[in-house]
Each structure stands twice: as C-alpha cells, then as structure tokens.
Amino acid sequence: MDLVGKDESPSASADEEGEAKPDQKRHLPPKLLAKIERNRQRALLLRQARLASRPYTPIGTSNNITKPAPKVVDTGGGFFLEEEEDEIHEVNKVIHQPGPVMEFDYLLCEECGKEFMDSFLSSHFDLPVCDNCRDNEEKHKLITRTDAKQEFLLKDCDLDQRTPALKFTLRKNPHNIQWGEMKLYLKLQIVKRSLDVWGSEEALQQAKETRQENREKMKQKKFDKKVKELRRAVRSSLWKKESASHQHVYGPEVYLEEEDEYKKTCATCGHQLMYEKM
C-alpha cells in the first residue's frame, strides 16, 4: 500500500509567509505605512552614501602593488647589497558618486520671516524665533520661577501640571554656586499662562491689589500686637510690690456679754480679733 504524504516544501511555506506580510501591512494605518516607507528610503540613501565614500574592490581585479625581485650585487667586502628598483604602482580609477541630498525641515522665524535650522528659543522653549531676532532685554526676557509666581500670582500646578507644561532651562545660581540650580522660564509664555489662569489683565491686577491689602492688614495686626506687649512690659516694670507686711493697730477692747468674749478692731484695715480671758 502506498503512503501518500503532504507536500510541505520550503518554497510553499515561504510563499505563505510572503502572502501573510502584505496582509499584515494592509491592517496598519496609512500614517504608519508612510512612516515605514520614509524610513526605508532614508536607509537606502544612507547606504548609497556610505558605499560612495568607501567603494569595495571589484571581484576579479587586483589592487596590489607589483614589485619585482631585487637584484643581489657582490660588493667584495664580505656582504651582498640589494639594489632597489622603482616600484610600479597600479592605481585604479575610482569614480565617486555624489552623496544624497537630504531635505531638512527649516523653521520660519516669526520676527523676520526668514528660514533657519535651529536657535536657542526654538530648542529650549519651542518658540520659532532665530538667534538674530532674539531680544534678551524685553520681549524674550527670561524670568525665574520665584519671580513668576510672585509677579503673576501663579502656583506650582499652573507651571507644571497645567497642559501644556511650560518649558524651562537650568542655570547655576549667580548668588551662590552651592545653592540649587535656577529654573528660568520665558516671560512671554508666563504672561500667556497668567491670562489663561486669571482670564484677563484686570482680574490679575485686582487679585494683586486684594493680596496687597491683606498683607498690609496682617502687618498692622502684628504691629498692634507688639505695641500691646510693649505696654504690658512698661507697666509691669513701673509697678513695685511693697516688701513690708501690714501691721495691725488695734483699738480698745470691747467685752461681748452674750458670747463671753473680747473683741479688738484694727484702726487701719478694720480687722477684728476675737479672744477669751481665763
């Protein structure tokens, strides 16, 4: 009886895998497929540039230097001398292909309208302004985190947690190097964030005035409290306690018949002393 087996050849499995891969790509979104194609084209261009800079030697050709055997001459002094002949070099002509032209995404400056590749504001704060148009004194001035919170009444959550989070750059403290690094923000972005928090400049100004009034009230309360404490201290220093004890000065004694006792009364404080006689 003949046994019939299934045909499981490598070519059949390879065809099935080749058919499966396009099916997998079909399920991918168009953006991801476009990104894969761009990466593949970029890899091909880089490979061509690498091959152009360092071309491989073709198979079957020799790039070796041909050097004939040196001639030996007897000098008669007990040793032989080898005559060196001019080396014949075979130089292969190498044709260098031009490198690929890479297209860069240039940024457009908001101030002058010119294209540029990179700048300080674009790399640190995502602001498309070139270095030539950067104004460090007024428009693009940097501000510390503490000044931003005090001047624009912002909290830590407004700077870090509110989306989008504001970017900053770190610098050493100029007052003391041993202190922690300062966080510097772009003042232009801080002003926009304060308007998002407070709604308008009038609301921000009103909040500043209210906070200033509360500070003045707290200062006045502290001042009044210190004045009261000072008055108490002055009064306690002027009051002197009498060190001598009071001595009673009794008048004549009086006999009480009902109780059968005698009584004396102090002439200064009115204290009464009751006693009996045996």
Side-chain angles (χ1 to χ4, degrees), residues 116-135:
F116 66 97
M117 293 182 60
D118 191 14
S119 66
F120 176 80
L121 295 177
S122 63
S123 59
H124 290 83
F125 302 103
D126 290 340
L127 186 66
V129 176
C130 62
D131 292 333
N132 296 330
C133 300
R134 179 184 171 190
D135 187 6

PDB file of all heavy atoms in Angstrom, residues 116-135:
ATOM      1  N   PHE A 116      15.362  79.179   9.179  1.00  0.00           N
ATOM      2  CA  PHE A 116      16.546  78.846   9.970  1.00  0.00           C
ATOM      3  C   PHE A 116      16.398  77.403  10.442  1.00  0.00           C
ATOM      4  O   PHE A 116      15.298  76.849  10.487  1.00  0.00           O
ATOM      5  CB  PHE A 116      16.719  79.805  11.151  1.00  0.00           C
ATOM      6  CG  PHE A 116      15.635  79.707  12.183  1.00  0.00           C
ATOM      7  CD1 PHE A 116      15.806  78.941  13.329  1.00  0.00           C
ATOM      8  CD2 PHE A 116      14.431  80.370  12.009  1.00  0.00           C
ATOM      9  CE1 PHE A 116      14.805  78.848  14.268  1.00  0.00           C
ATOM     10  CE2 PHE A 116      13.433  80.290  12.946  1.00  0.00           C
ATOM     11  CZ  PHE A 116      13.617  79.523  14.091  1.00  0.00           C
ATOM     12  N   MET A 117      17.534  76.800  10.795  1.00  0.00           N
ATOM     13  CA  MET A 117      17.536  75.396  11.197  1.00  0.00           C
ATOM     14  C   MET A 117      17.339  75.227  12.698  1.00  0.00           C
ATOM     15  O   MET A 117      16.547  74.405  13.138  1.00  0.00           O
ATOM     16  CB  MET A 117      18.850  74.725  10.762  1.00  0.00           C
ATOM     17  CG  MET A 117      19.025  74.592   9.274  1.00  0.00           C
ATOM     18  SD  MET A 117      20.563  73.759   8.842  1.00  0.00           S
ATOM     19  CE  MET A 117      20.324  72.185   9.657  1.00  0.00           C
ATOM     20  N   ASP A 118      18.055  76.011  13.490  1.00  0.00           N
ATOM     21  CA  ASP A 118      17.996  75.829  14.945  1.00  0.00           C
ATOM     22  C   ASP A 118      18.332  77.152  15.606  1.00  0.00           C
ATOM     23  O   ASP A 118      19.035  78.002  15.044  1.00  0.00           O
ATOM     24  CB  ASP A 118      18.987  74.747  15.387  1.00  0.00           C
ATOM     25  CG  ASP A 118      18.769  74.345  16.834  1.00  0.00           C
ATOM     26  OD1 ASP A 118      17.709  74.707  17.384  1.00  0.00           O
ATOM     27  OD2 ASP A 118      19.642  73.670  17.417  1.00  0.00           O
ATOM     28  N   SER A 119      17.805  77.335  16.832  1.00  0.00           N
ATOM     29  CA  SER A 119      18.086  78.538  17.616  1.00  0.00           C
ATOM     30  C   SER A 119      17.883  78.209  19.093  1.00  0.00           C
ATOM     31  O   SER A 119      17.376  77.141  19.446  1.00  0.00           O
ATOM     32  CB  SER A 119      17.178  79.701  17.198  1.00  0.00           C
ATOM     33  OG  SER A 119      15.827  79.423  17.512  1.00  0.00           O
ATOM     34  N   PHE A 120      18.256  79.144  19.944  1.00  0.00           N
ATOM     35  CA  PHE A 120      18.137  78.935  21.391  1.00  0.00           C
ATOM     36  C   PHE A 120      16.676  78.853  21.820  1.00  0.00           C
ATOM     37  O   PHE A 120      16.275  77.969  22.583  1.00  0.00           O
ATOM     38  CB  PHE A 120      18.850  80.076  22.121  1.00  0.00           C
ATOM     39  CG  PHE A 120      18.702  80.016  23.621  1.00  0.00           C
ATOM     40  CD1 PHE A 120      19.491  79.163  24.372  1.00  0.00           C
ATOM     41  CD2 PHE A 120      17.757  80.813  24.270  1.00  0.00           C
ATOM     42  CE1 PHE A 120      19.354  79.101  25.750  1.00  0.00           C
ATOM     43  CE2 PHE A 120      17.613  80.754  25.645  1.00  0.00           C
ATOM     44  CZ  PHE A 120      18.414  79.898  26.389  1.00  0.00           C
ATOM     45  N   LEU A 121      15.852  79.748  21.318  1.00  0.00           N
ATOM     46  CA  LEU A 121      14.446  79.771  21.723  1.00  0.00           C
ATOM     47  C   LEU A 121      13.674  78.583  21.166  1.00  0.00           C
ATOM     48  O   LEU A 121      12.765  78.065  21.820  1.00  0.00           O
ATOM     49  CB  LEU A 121      13.805  81.084  21.259  1.00  0.00           C
ATOM     50  CG  LEU A 121      14.354  82.362  21.897  1.00  0.00           C
ATOM     51  CD1 LEU A 121      13.691  83.582  21.302  1.00  0.00           C
ATOM     52  CD2 LEU A 121      14.168  82.336  23.407  1.00  0.00           C
ATOM     53  N   SER A 122      14.033  78.133  19.965  1.00  0.00           N
ATOM     54  CA  SER A 122      13.301  77.004  19.376  1.00  0.00           C
ATOM     55  C   SER A 122      13.659  75.690  20.060  1.00  0.00           C
ATOM     56  O   SER A 122      12.805  74.820  20.224  1.00  0.00           O
ATOM     57  CB  SER A 122      13.599  76.912  17.884  1.00  0.00           C
ATOM     58  OG  SER A 122      14.982  76.655  17.663  1.00  0.00           O
ATOM     59  N   SER A 123      14.905  75.526  20.469  1.00  0.00           N
ATOM     60  CA  SER A 123      15.336  74.270  21.093  1.00  0.00           C
ATOM     61  C   SER A 123      14.935  74.179  22.550  1.00  0.00           C
ATOM     62  O   SER A 123      14.682  73.085  23.054  1.00  0.00           O
ATOM     63  CB  SER A 123      16.856  74.119  20.969  1.00  0.00           C
ATOM     64  OG  SER A 123      17.519  75.209  21.594  1.00  0.00           O
ATOM     65  N   HIS A 124      14.870  75.327  23.274  1.00  0.00           N
ATOM     66  CA  HIS A 124      14.568  75.295  24.702  1.00  0.00           C
ATOM     67  C   HIS A 124      13.100  75.601  25.019  1.00  0.00           C
ATOM     68  O   HIS A 124      12.568  75.092  26.014  1.00  0.00           O
ATOM     69  CB  HIS A 124      15.456  76.286  25.457  1.00  0.00           C
ATOM     70  CG  HIS A 124      16.893  75.882  25.517  1.00  0.00           C
ATOM     71  ND1 HIS A 124      17.775  76.135  24.481  1.00  0.00           N
ATOM     72  CD2 HIS A 124      17.618  75.235  26.471  1.00  0.00           C
ATOM     73  CE1 HIS A 124      18.971  75.678  24.796  1.00  0.00           C
ATOM     74  NE2 HIS A 124      18.906  75.115  25.987  1.00  0.00           N
ATOM     75  N   PHE A 125      12.446  76.445  24.199  1.00  0.00           N
ATOM     76  CA  PHE A 125      11.081  76.880  24.529  1.00  0.00           C
ATOM     77  C   PHE A 125      10.086  76.659  23.394  1.00  0.00           C
ATOM     78  O   PHE A 125       8.949  77.118  23.498  1.00  0.00           O
ATOM     79  CB  PHE A 125      11.097  78.370  24.898  1.00  0.00           C
ATOM     80  CG  PHE A 125      11.994  78.699  26.048  1.00  0.00           C
ATOM     81  CD1 PHE A 125      13.238  79.284  25.833  1.00  0.00           C
ATOM     82  CD2 PHE A 125      11.617  78.413  27.339  1.00  0.00           C
ATOM     83  CE1 PHE A 125      14.073  79.583  26.891  1.00  0.00           C
ATOM     84  CE2 PHE A 125      12.444  78.711  28.413  1.00  0.00           C
ATOM     85  CZ  PHE A 125      13.682  79.295  28.191  1.00  0.00           C
ATOM     86  N   ASP A 126      10.496  75.983  22.317  1.00  0.00           N
ATOM     87  CA  ASP A 126       9.612  75.712  21.172  1.00  0.00           C
ATOM     88  C   ASP A 126       9.025  77.006  20.599  1.00  0.00           C
ATOM     89  O   ASP A 126       7.865  77.053  20.181  1.00  0.00           O
ATOM     90  CB  ASP A 126       8.469  74.762  21.580  1.00  0.00           C
ATOM     91  CG  ASP A 126       8.984  73.357  21.834  1.00  0.00           C
ATOM     92  OD1 ASP A 126      10.070  73.042  21.345  1.00  0.00           O
ATOM     93  OD2 ASP A 126       8.292  72.594  22.537  1.00  0.00           O
ATOM     94  N   LEU A 127       9.840  78.054  20.562  1.00  0.00           N
ATOM     95  CA  LEU A 127       9.414  79.337  20.001  1.00  0.00           C
ATOM     96  C   LEU A 127      10.177  79.564  18.700  1.00  0.00           C
ATOM     97  O   LEU A 127      11.411  79.700  18.726  1.00  0.00           O
ATOM     98  CB  LEU A 127       9.666  80.473  20.985  1.00  0.00           C
ATOM     99  CG  LEU A 127       9.138  81.849  20.575  1.00  0.00           C
ATOM    100  CD1 LEU A 127       7.616  81.833  20.543  1.00  0.00           C
ATOM    101  CD2 LEU A 127       9.624  82.927  21.542  1.00  0.00           C
ATOM    102  N   PRO A 128       9.509  79.606  17.543  1.00  0.00           N
ATOM    103  CA  PRO A 128      10.216  79.752  16.265  1.00  0.00           C
ATOM    104  C   PRO A 128      10.743  81.171  16.050  1.00  0.00           C
ATOM    105  O   PRO A 128      10.163  81.966  15.309  1.00  0.00           O
ATOM    106  CB  PRO A 128       9.147  79.375  15.233  1.00  0.00           C
ATOM    107  CG  PRO A 128       7.852  79.698  15.900  1.00  0.00           C
ATOM    108  CD  PRO A 128       8.056  79.442  17.361  1.00  0.00           C
ATOM    109  N   VAL A 129      11.828  81.491  16.708  1.00  0.00           N
ATOM    110  CA  VAL A 129      12.492  82.791  16.563  1.00  0.00           C
ATOM    111  C   VAL A 129      13.984  82.524  16.434  1.00  0.00           C
ATOM    112  O   VAL A 129      14.562  81.784  17.240  1.00  0.00           O
ATOM    113  CB  VAL A 129      12.212  83.714  17.769  1.00  0.00           C
ATOM    114  CG1 VAL A 129      13.003  85.013  17.636  1.00  0.00           C
ATOM    115  CG2 VAL A 129      10.729  84.010  17.887  1.00  0.00           C
ATOM    116  N   CYS A 130      14.618  83.103  15.428  1.00  0.00           N
ATOM    117  CA  CYS A 130      16.043  82.887  15.205  1.00  0.00           C
ATOM    118  C   CYS A 130      16.859  83.666  16.230  1.00  0.00           C
ATOM    119  O   CYS A 130      16.359  84.555  16.921  1.00  0.00           O
ATOM    120  CB  CYS A 130      16.427  83.289  13.780  1.00  0.00           C
ATOM    121  SG  CYS A 130      16.155  85.043  13.404  1.00  0.00           S
ATOM    122  N   ASP A 131      18.139  83.341  16.287  1.00  0.00           N
ATOM    123  CA  ASP A 131      19.019  83.989  17.259  1.00  0.00           C
ATOM    124  C   ASP A 131      19.248  85.461  16.931  1.00  0.00           C
ATOM    125  O   ASP A 131      19.511  86.264  17.839  1.00  0.00           O
ATOM    126  CB  ASP A 131      20.363  83.255  17.314  1.00  0.00           C
ATOM    127  CG  ASP A 131      20.210  81.851  17.905  1.00  0.00           C
ATOM    128  OD1 ASP A 131      19.273  81.634  18.708  1.00  0.00           O
ATOM    129  OD2 ASP A 131      21.028  80.973  17.559  1.00  0.00           O
ATOM    130  N   ASN A 132      19.176  85.835  15.666  1.00  0.00           N
ATOM    131  CA  ASN A 132      19.392  87.234  15.307  1.00  0.00           C
ATOM    132  C   ASN A 132      18.249  88.131  15.787  1.00  0.00           C
ATOM    133  O   ASN A 132      18.459  89.305  16.096  1.00  0.00           O
ATOM    134  CB  ASN A 132      19.549  87.366  13.788  1.00  0.00           C
ATOM    135  CG  ASN A 132      20.769  86.641  13.276  1.00  0.00           C
ATOM    136  OD1 ASN A 132      21.767  86.519  13.987  1.00  0.00           O
ATOM    137  ND2 ASN A 132      20.708  86.131  12.055  1.00  0.00           N
ATOM    138  N   CYS A 133      17.047  87.598  15.848  1.00  0.00           N
ATOM    139  CA  CYS A 133      15.881  88.389  16.270  1.00  0.00           C
ATOM    140  C   CYS A 133      15.581  88.245  17.757  1.00  0.00           C
ATOM    141  O   CYS A 133      14.589  88.800  18.236  1.00  0.00           O
ATOM    142  CB  CYS A 133      14.647  87.977  15.472  1.00  0.00           C
ATOM    143  SG  CYS A 133      14.808  88.218  13.690  1.00  0.00           S
ATOM    144  N   ARG A 134      16.390  87.524  18.478  1.00  0.00           N
ATOM    145  CA  ARG A 134      16.134  87.307  19.907  1.00  0.00           C
ATOM    146  C   ARG A 134      16.397  88.591  20.696  1.00  0.00           C
ATOM    147  O   ARG A 134      17.439  89.218  20.545  1.00  0.00           O
ATOM    148  CB  ARG A 134      17.030  86.177  20.421  1.00  0.00           C
ATOM    149  CG  ARG A 134      16.877  85.880  21.898  1.00  0.00           C
ATOM    150  CD  ARG A 134      17.879  84.822  22.324  1.00  0.00           C
ATOM    151  NE  ARG A 134      17.899  84.666  23.771  1.00  0.00           N
ATOM    152  CZ  ARG A 134      18.805  83.945  24.434  1.00  0.00           C
ATOM    153  NH1 ARG A 134      19.757  83.309  23.746  1.00  0.00           N
ATOM    154  NH2 ARG A 134      18.753  83.867  25.739  1.00  0.00           N
ATOM    155  N   ASP A 135      15.435  88.983  21.535  1.00  0.00           N
ATOM    156  CA  ASP A 135      15.517  90.191  22.350  1.00  0.00           C
ATOM    157  C   ASP A 135      15.602  89.768  23.819  1.00  0.00           C
ATOM    158  O   ASP A 135      14.603  89.427  24.443  1.00  0.00           O
ATOM    159  CB  ASP A 135      14.297  91.083  22.129  1.00  0.00           C
ATOM    160  CG  ASP A 135      14.431  92.429  22.837  1.00  0.00           C
ATOM    161  OD1 ASP A 135      15.512  92.696  23.395  1.00  0.00           O
ATOM    162  OD2 ASP A 135      13.457  93.195  22.834  1.00  0.00           O
TER     163      ASP A 135
END
